[in-house]
Amino acid sequence: GTDLNICAGDTLHHAFALGYHVVGVADCLACFSKRDRAHAEQLKDDGLYLIENHYGTVSRSDEIIPIISRRR
């Protein structure tokens, strides 16, 4: 899934709890909100903030290969 405030977010957090280095790919993630698009964007920003500042790295899809290469 791509939903940062539900399935993708849960997967990223669980991977961190298992000891993996987490990379959130910002342009491949989204959020859902029943309120409106602005709220969904705020949820995404909040989720990316949590990843970047608490348990991983936030990157874009065009940066993933170099990040993976550095981790080997």
Side-chain angles (χ1 to χ4, degrees), residues 36-57:
D36 56 32
R37 185 170 179 83
H39 186 244
E41 288 297 320
Q42 183 61 53
L43 291 172
K44 179 181 175 183
D45 290 343
D46 294 345
L48 293 173
Y49 174 87
L50 288 173
I51 294 167
E52 186 72 48
N53 290 283
H54 296 284
Y55 58 89
T57 301

PDB file of all heavy atoms in Angstrom, residues 36-57:
ATOM      1  N   ASP A  36     -10.767  16.454   3.801  1.00  0.00           N
ATOM      2  CA  ASP A  36     -10.475  17.115   2.523  1.00  0.00           C
ATOM      3  C   ASP A  36      -9.023  16.842   2.142  1.00  0.00           C
ATOM      4  O   ASP A  36      -8.260  16.253   2.890  1.00  0.00           O
ATOM      5  CB  ASP A  36     -10.750  18.618   2.569  1.00  0.00           C
ATOM      6  CG  ASP A  36     -10.009  19.356   3.666  1.00  0.00           C
ATOM      7  OD1 ASP A  36      -8.878  18.956   4.022  1.00  0.00           O
ATOM      8  OD2 ASP A  36     -10.560  20.339   4.184  1.00  0.00           O
ATOM      9  N   ARG A  37      -8.663  17.275   0.952  1.00  0.00           N
ATOM     10  CA  ARG A  37      -7.309  17.037   0.433  1.00  0.00           C
ATOM     11  C   ARG A  37      -6.245  17.736   1.280  1.00  0.00           C
ATOM     12  O   ARG A  37      -5.162  17.198   1.497  1.00  0.00           O
ATOM     13  CB  ARG A  37      -7.226  17.487  -1.019  1.00  0.00           C
ATOM     14  CG  ARG A  37      -5.905  17.171  -1.667  1.00  0.00           C
ATOM     15  CD  ARG A  37      -5.957  17.413  -3.173  1.00  0.00           C
ATOM     16  NE  ARG A  37      -4.703  17.131  -3.804  1.00  0.00           N
ATOM     17  CZ  ARG A  37      -4.293  15.933  -4.174  1.00  0.00           C
ATOM     18  NH1 ARG A  37      -5.066  14.883  -3.972  1.00  0.00           N
ATOM     19  NH2 ARG A  37      -3.127  15.756  -4.753  1.00  0.00           N
ATOM     20  N   ALA A  38      -6.537  18.927   1.758  1.00  0.00           N
ATOM     21  CA  ALA A  38      -5.571  19.660   2.577  1.00  0.00           C
ATOM     22  C   ALA A  38      -5.250  18.884   3.857  1.00  0.00           C
ATOM     23  O   ALA A  38      -4.096  18.822   4.286  1.00  0.00           O
ATOM     24  CB  ALA A  38      -6.088  21.056   2.913  1.00  0.00           C
ATOM     25  N   HIS A  39      -6.264  18.277   4.449  1.00  0.00           N
ATOM     26  CA  HIS A  39      -6.041  17.471   5.646  1.00  0.00           C
ATOM     27  C   HIS A  39      -5.206  16.240   5.321  1.00  0.00           C
ATOM     28  O   HIS A  39      -4.316  15.858   6.088  1.00  0.00           O
ATOM     29  CB  HIS A  39      -7.379  17.076   6.274  1.00  0.00           C
ATOM     30  CG  HIS A  39      -7.236  16.362   7.572  1.00  0.00           C
ATOM     31  ND1 HIS A  39      -7.639  15.057   7.742  1.00  0.00           N
ATOM     32  CD2 HIS A  39      -6.710  16.757   8.761  1.00  0.00           C
ATOM     33  CE1 HIS A  39      -7.377  14.683   8.978  1.00  0.00           C
ATOM     34  NE2 HIS A  39      -6.814  15.690   9.620  1.00  0.00           N
ATOM     35  N   ALA A  40      -5.473  15.622   4.183  1.00  0.00           N
ATOM     36  CA  ALA A  40      -4.688  14.462   3.760  1.00  0.00           C
ATOM     37  C   ALA A  40      -3.225  14.847   3.553  1.00  0.00           C
ATOM     38  O   ALA A  40      -2.318  14.102   3.952  1.00  0.00           O
ATOM     39  CB  ALA A  40      -5.266  13.867   2.480  1.00  0.00           C
ATOM     40  N   GLU A  41      -2.981  16.004   2.968  1.00  0.00           N
ATOM     41  CA  GLU A  41      -1.607  16.467   2.769  1.00  0.00           C
ATOM     42  C   GLU A  41      -0.925  16.744   4.110  1.00  0.00           C
ATOM     43  O   GLU A  41       0.258  16.457   4.277  1.00  0.00           O
ATOM     44  CB  GLU A  41      -1.574  17.716   1.886  1.00  0.00           C
ATOM     45  CG  GLU A  41      -1.878  17.428   0.429  1.00  0.00           C
ATOM     46  CD  GLU A  41      -0.852  16.505  -0.219  1.00  0.00           C
ATOM     47  OE1 GLU A  41       0.365  16.643   0.049  1.00  0.00           O
ATOM     48  OE2 GLU A  41      -1.261  15.621  -0.988  1.00  0.00           O
ATOM     49  N   GLN A  42      -1.666  17.295   5.064  1.00  0.00           N
ATOM     50  CA  GLN A  42      -1.100  17.546   6.391  1.00  0.00           C
ATOM     51  C   GLN A  42      -0.745  16.234   7.086  1.00  0.00           C
ATOM     52  O   GLN A  42       0.303  16.124   7.718  1.00  0.00           O
ATOM     53  CB  GLN A  42      -2.069  18.350   7.259  1.00  0.00           C
ATOM     54  CG  GLN A  42      -1.511  18.704   8.624  1.00  0.00           C
ATOM     55  CD  GLN A  42      -0.262  19.570   8.539  1.00  0.00           C
ATOM     56  OE1 GLN A  42      -0.279  20.603   7.884  1.00  0.00           O
ATOM     57  NE2 GLN A  42       0.808  19.152   9.174  1.00  0.00           N
ATOM     58  N   LEU A  43      -1.613  15.225   6.946  1.00  0.00           N
ATOM     59  CA  LEU A  43      -1.313  13.907   7.508  1.00  0.00           C
ATOM     60  C   LEU A  43      -0.045  13.322   6.897  1.00  0.00           C
ATOM     61  O   LEU A  43       0.790  12.740   7.596  1.00  0.00           O
ATOM     62  CB  LEU A  43      -2.484  12.955   7.300  1.00  0.00           C
ATOM     63  CG  LEU A  43      -3.751  13.241   8.095  1.00  0.00           C
ATOM     64  CD1 LEU A  43      -4.880  12.327   7.620  1.00  0.00           C
ATOM     65  CD2 LEU A  43      -3.505  13.074   9.582  1.00  0.00           C
ATOM     66  N   LYS A  44       0.113  13.488   5.591  1.00  0.00           N
ATOM     67  CA  LYS A  44       1.317  12.988   4.922  1.00  0.00           C
ATOM     68  C   LYS A  44       2.548  13.720   5.439  1.00  0.00           C
ATOM     69  O   LYS A  44       3.563  13.090   5.759  1.00  0.00           O
ATOM     70  CB  LYS A  44       1.200  13.152   3.407  1.00  0.00           C
ATOM     71  CG  LYS A  44       2.431  12.663   2.665  1.00  0.00           C
ATOM     72  CD  LYS A  44       2.311  12.840   1.172  1.00  0.00           C
ATOM     73  CE  LYS A  44       3.598  12.449   0.475  1.00  0.00           C
ATOM     74  NZ  LYS A  44       3.541  12.685  -0.962  1.00  0.00           N
ATOM     75  N   ASP A  45       2.473  15.038   5.528  1.00  0.00           N
ATOM     76  CA  ASP A  45       3.602  15.813   6.043  1.00  0.00           C
ATOM     77  C   ASP A  45       3.962  15.372   7.462  1.00  0.00           C
ATOM     78  O   ASP A  45       5.143  15.230   7.799  1.00  0.00           O
ATOM     79  CB  ASP A  45       3.294  17.310   6.034  1.00  0.00           C
ATOM     80  CG  ASP A  45       3.234  17.895   4.633  1.00  0.00           C
ATOM     81  OD1 ASP A  45       3.731  17.249   3.681  1.00  0.00           O
ATOM     82  OD2 ASP A  45       2.695  19.007   4.499  1.00  0.00           O
ATOM     83  N   ASP A  46       2.952  15.150   8.289  1.00  0.00           N
ATOM     84  CA  ASP A  46       3.184  14.701   9.664  1.00  0.00           C
ATOM     85  C   ASP A  46       3.845  13.324   9.686  1.00  0.00           C
ATOM     86  O   ASP A  46       4.770  13.073  10.465  1.00  0.00           O
ATOM     87  CB  ASP A  46       1.885  14.651  10.459  1.00  0.00           C
ATOM     88  CG  ASP A  46       1.270  16.019  10.681  1.00  0.00           C
ATOM     89  OD1 ASP A  46       1.962  17.046  10.487  1.00  0.00           O
ATOM     90  OD2 ASP A  46       0.080  16.062  11.046  1.00  0.00           O
ATOM     91  N   GLY A  47       3.379  12.419   8.837  1.00  0.00           N
ATOM     92  CA  GLY A  47       3.956  11.079   8.772  1.00  0.00           C
ATOM     93  C   GLY A  47       5.402  11.099   8.304  1.00  0.00           C
ATOM     94  O   GLY A  47       6.253  10.393   8.846  1.00  0.00           O
ATOM     95  N   LEU A  48       5.691  11.929   7.295  1.00  0.00           N
ATOM     96  CA  LEU A  48       7.068  12.044   6.814  1.00  0.00           C
ATOM     97  C   LEU A  48       7.964  12.660   7.892  1.00  0.00           C
ATOM     98  O   LEU A  48       9.119  12.262   8.047  1.00  0.00           O
ATOM     99  CB  LEU A  48       7.115  12.870   5.525  1.00  0.00           C
ATOM    100  CG  LEU A  48       6.442  12.230   4.316  1.00  0.00           C
ATOM    101  CD1 LEU A  48       6.403  13.210   3.155  1.00  0.00           C
ATOM    102  CD2 LEU A  48       7.137  10.931   3.915  1.00  0.00           C
ATOM    103  N   TYR A  49       7.434  13.608   8.640  1.00  0.00           N
ATOM    104  CA  TYR A  49       8.181  14.209   9.745  1.00  0.00           C
ATOM    105  C   TYR A  49       8.558  13.139  10.777  1.00  0.00           C
ATOM    106  O   TYR A  49       9.698  13.093  11.242  1.00  0.00           O
ATOM    107  CB  TYR A  49       7.366  15.312  10.410  1.00  0.00           C
ATOM    108  CG  TYR A  49       8.031  15.858  11.648  1.00  0.00           C
ATOM    109  CD1 TYR A  49       8.962  16.887  11.548  1.00  0.00           C
ATOM    110  CD2 TYR A  49       7.759  15.324  12.905  1.00  0.00           C
ATOM    111  CE1 TYR A  49       9.597  17.371  12.678  1.00  0.00           C
ATOM    112  CE2 TYR A  49       8.393  15.798  14.042  1.00  0.00           C
ATOM    113  CZ  TYR A  49       9.312  16.824  13.930  1.00  0.00           C
ATOM    114  OH  TYR A  49       9.945  17.291  15.049  1.00  0.00           O
ATOM    115  N   LEU A  50       7.607  12.287  11.132  1.00  0.00           N
ATOM    116  CA  LEU A  50       7.880  11.227  12.106  1.00  0.00           C
ATOM    117  C   LEU A  50       8.981  10.293  11.620  1.00  0.00           C
ATOM    118  O   LEU A  50       9.876   9.921  12.385  1.00  0.00           O
ATOM    119  CB  LEU A  50       6.615  10.431  12.409  1.00  0.00           C
ATOM    120  CG  LEU A  50       5.559  11.153  13.236  1.00  0.00           C
ATOM    121  CD1 LEU A  50       4.298  10.309  13.315  1.00  0.00           C
ATOM    122  CD2 LEU A  50       6.090  11.469  14.618  1.00  0.00           C
ATOM    123  N   ILE A  51       8.908   9.923  10.360  1.00  0.00           N
ATOM    124  CA  ILE A  51       9.946   9.044   9.812  1.00  0.00           C
ATOM    125  C   ILE A  51      11.304   9.729   9.895  1.00  0.00           C
ATOM    126  O   ILE A  51      12.259   9.186  10.440  1.00  0.00           O
ATOM    127  CB  ILE A  51       9.632   8.651   8.354  1.00  0.00           C
ATOM    128  CG1 ILE A  51       8.380   7.792   8.274  1.00  0.00           C
ATOM    129  CG2 ILE A  51      10.832   7.917   7.733  1.00  0.00           C
ATOM    130  CD1 ILE A  51       7.847   7.624   6.874  1.00  0.00           C
ATOM    131  N   GLU A  52      11.392  10.919   9.359  1.00  0.00           N
ATOM    132  CA  GLU A  52      12.674  11.638   9.265  1.00  0.00           C
ATOM    133  C   GLU A  52      13.275  11.948  10.632  1.00  0.00           C
ATOM    134  O   GLU A  52      14.486  11.878  10.815  1.00  0.00           O
ATOM    135  CB  GLU A  52      12.480  12.941   8.490  1.00  0.00           C
ATOM    136  CG  GLU A  52      13.776  13.691   8.209  1.00  0.00           C
ATOM    137  CD  GLU A  52      14.648  13.026   7.159  1.00  0.00           C
ATOM    138  OE1 GLU A  52      14.112  12.664   6.097  1.00  0.00           O
ATOM    139  OE2 GLU A  52      15.853  12.869   7.404  1.00  0.00           O
ATOM    140  N   ASN A  53      12.448  12.269  11.591  1.00  0.00           N
ATOM    141  CA  ASN A  53      12.960  12.738  12.871  1.00  0.00           C
ATOM    142  C   ASN A  53      12.980  11.697  13.976  1.00  0.00           C
ATOM    143  O   ASN A  53      13.526  11.960  15.051  1.00  0.00           O
ATOM    144  CB  ASN A  53      12.152  13.952  13.335  1.00  0.00           C
ATOM    145  CG  ASN A  53      12.443  15.138  12.468  1.00  0.00           C
ATOM    146  OD1 ASN A  53      13.483  15.775  12.606  1.00  0.00           O
ATOM    147  ND2 ASN A  53      11.550  15.422  11.533  1.00  0.00           N
ATOM    148  N   HIS A  54      12.405  10.523  13.728  1.00  0.00           N
ATOM    149  CA  HIS A  54      12.338   9.545  14.804  1.00  0.00           C
ATOM    150  C   HIS A  54      12.839   8.155  14.434  1.00  0.00           C
ATOM    151  O   HIS A  54      13.331   7.443  15.299  1.00  0.00           O
ATOM    152  CB  HIS A  54      10.913   9.444  15.356  1.00  0.00           C
ATOM    153  CG  HIS A  54      10.458  10.718  15.990  1.00  0.00           C
ATOM    154  ND1 HIS A  54      10.887  11.111  17.232  1.00  0.00           N
ATOM    155  CD2 HIS A  54       9.663  11.702  15.528  1.00  0.00           C
ATOM    156  CE1 HIS A  54      10.349  12.288  17.524  1.00  0.00           C
ATOM    157  NE2 HIS A  54       9.606  12.665  16.507  1.00  0.00           N
ATOM    158  N   TYR A  55      12.684   7.737  13.186  1.00  0.00           N
ATOM    159  CA  TYR A  55      13.093   6.352  12.933  1.00  0.00           C
ATOM    160  C   TYR A  55      13.519   6.022  11.522  1.00  0.00           C
ATOM    161  O   TYR A  55      13.565   4.852  11.157  1.00  0.00           O
ATOM    162  CB  TYR A  55      12.027   5.356  13.408  1.00  0.00           C
ATOM    163  CG  TYR A  55      10.648   5.481  12.810  1.00  0.00           C
ATOM    164  CD1 TYR A  55      10.314   4.810  11.653  1.00  0.00           C
ATOM    165  CD2 TYR A  55       9.678   6.249  13.427  1.00  0.00           C
ATOM    166  CE1 TYR A  55       9.052   4.899  11.123  1.00  0.00           C
ATOM    167  CE2 TYR A  55       8.404   6.338  12.912  1.00  0.00           C
ATOM    168  CZ  TYR A  55       8.097   5.659  11.758  1.00  0.00           C
ATOM    169  OH  TYR A  55       6.838   5.755  11.250  1.00  0.00           O
ATOM    170  N   GLY A  56      13.914   6.974  10.725  1.00  0.00           N
ATOM    171  CA  GLY A  56      14.356   6.600   9.388  1.00  0.00           C
ATOM    172  C   GLY A  56      14.799   7.766   8.544  1.00  0.00           C
ATOM    173  O   GLY A  56      15.199   8.817   9.041  1.00  0.00           O
ATOM    174  N   THR A  57      14.704   7.567   7.254  1.00  0.00           N
ATOM    175  CA  THR A  57      15.110   8.541   6.251  1.00  0.00           C
ATOM    176  C   THR A  57      13.934   8.778   5.312  1.00  0.00           C
ATOM    177  O   THR A  57      13.225   7.839   4.970  1.00  0.00           O
ATOM    178  CB  THR A  57      16.293   7.989   5.432  1.00  0.00           C
ATOM    179  OG1 THR A  57      17.372   7.699   6.321  1.00  0.00           O
ATOM    180  CG2 THR A  57      16.755   8.954   4.375  1.00  0.00           C
TER     181      THR A  57
END
